[in-house]
Amino acid sequence: QKEVEQNSGPLSVPEGAIASLNCTYSDRGSQSFFWYRQYSGKSPELIMSIYSNGDKEDGRFTAQLNKASQYVSLLIRDSQPSDSATYLCAVIDTGTASKLTFGTGTRLQVTL
Amino acid sequence: NAGVTQTPKFQVLKTGQSMTLQCAQDMNHNSMYWYRQDPGMGLRLIYYSASEGTTDKGEVPNGYNVSRLNKREFSLRLESAAPSQTSVYFCASSATVYPDEQYFGPGTRLTVT
């Protein structure tokens, strides 16, 4: 069964620090990778997508993809209390063009 | 531009009752999806519709049916609700089948007693 693995956390970082969230996936043929943020009681919100090896930056967020290691990460610079949420990694697998497989999420707590 | 909307927001059913969850999007997206989210299980795909007129099973389709009414609307029906269907249900849509970025509705919190 194709899997997406994340550490459930909580990951606690002080305000202003860099938060590093990690995700591994089992299907070597996966092509598309996404990070969603989900506040408690709310729906997932897309924050980053990445398709090629390397880094992709958007404001305080950087997604990193290493297909050889089957690893995708999200860095949040200058972490704010408003970043406290669960971060979901999602992958589109080979041959399942419409289907996202989600990890169970990492809960991030940004402390004052 | 409301994005993806879902009704109702909350629902309580008794075992064996039926109901339909409604979803609509105003982004002119081709593809629509239904997920359920349970504690510790993550989001799991129930059914999806790659384009108007087509529907396909996802990871957990048993006990559900769907209808892609038109390009905008995609409904999820529980014919005979069971306590195991207590969950939060999310509808999502995307512009293209592949690669796609999916955008989620606000969710329906369903309790089956």
Side-chain angles (χ1 to χ4, degrees):
Chain A
Q1 183 173 346
K2 297 168 183 175
E3 293 181 344
V4 177
E5 300 285 345
Q6 296 180 257
N7 188 318
S8 61
L11 172 66
S12 185
V13 301
E15 184 177 5
I18 296 175
S20 178
L21 304 159
N22 304 314
C23 173
T24 59
Y25 57 94
S26 63
D27 185 356
R28 186 169 290 279
S30 297
Q31 298 293 327
S32 306
F33 307 86
F34 306 88
W35 283 100
Y36 286 82
R37 177 176 63 199
Q38 187 174 27
Y39 293 112
S40 181
K42 301 296 186 182
S43 60
E45 173 192 8
L46 179 68
I47 54 173
M48 291 286 288
S49 58
I50 186 166
Y51 304 102
S52 304
N53 278 330
D55 294 359
K56 179 181 178 183
E57 187 174 319
D58 184 0
R60 295 187 297 112
F61 298 99
T62 299
Q64 299 175 317
L65 175 60
N66 184 326
K67 290 185 179 180
S69 299
Q70 296 175 239
Y71 176 93
V72 59
S73 65
L74 179 70
L75 300 178
I76 306 174
R77 290 182 299 282
D78 188 24
S79 295
Q80 301 297 310
S82 59
D83 295 325
S84 297
T86 296
Y87 289 80
L88 305 172
C89 174
V91 175
I92 291 182
D93 297 328
T94 307
T96 58
S98 296
K99 302 178 190 177
L100 279 176
T101 299
F102 282 86
T104 54
T106 298
R107 188 157 66 92
L108 173 66
Q109 292 179 335
V110 180
T111 58
L112 296 172
Chain B
N1 188 340
V4 180
T5 57
Q6 293 183 235
T7 56
K9 286 186 169 52
F10 302 93
Q11 183 71 48
V12 178
L13 291 178
K14 294 187 188 306
T15 298
Q17 288 185 319
S18 63
M19 78 162 296
T20 300
L21 282 64
Q22 305 286 354
C23 174
Q25 53 90 10
D26 63 3
M27 296 178 283
N28 200 34
H29 283 170
N30 291 318
S31 302
M32 298 184 74
Y33 313 82
W34 277 105
Y35 293 89
R36 60 178 289 174
Q37 188 174 35
D38 304 293
M41 298 293 292
L43 281 153
R44 292 181 292 169
L45 182 66
I46 305 170
Y47 271 94
Y48 69 101
S49 171
S51 60
E52 187 178 355
T54 68
T55 60
D56 286 286
K57 295 178 181 179
E59 182 185 353
V60 288
N62 291 344
Y64 305 95
N65 286 301
V66 291
S67 295
R68 183 74 183 266
L69 304 171
N70 48 55
K71 190 172 184 178
R72 290 187 63 249
E73 298 172 289
F74 188 38
S75 63
L76 178 72
R77 182 160 178 84
L78 287 69
E79 291 291 352
S80 179
S84 60
Q85 294 178 304
T86 293
S87 188
V88 181
Y89 291 86
F90 290 105
C91 177
S93 71
S94 65
T96 54
V97 172
Y98 181 87
D100 66 40
E101 296 180 341
Q102 295 185 18
Y103 297 91
F104 284 77
T108 295
R109 189 172 297 273
L110 175 67
T111 302
V112 183
T113 61

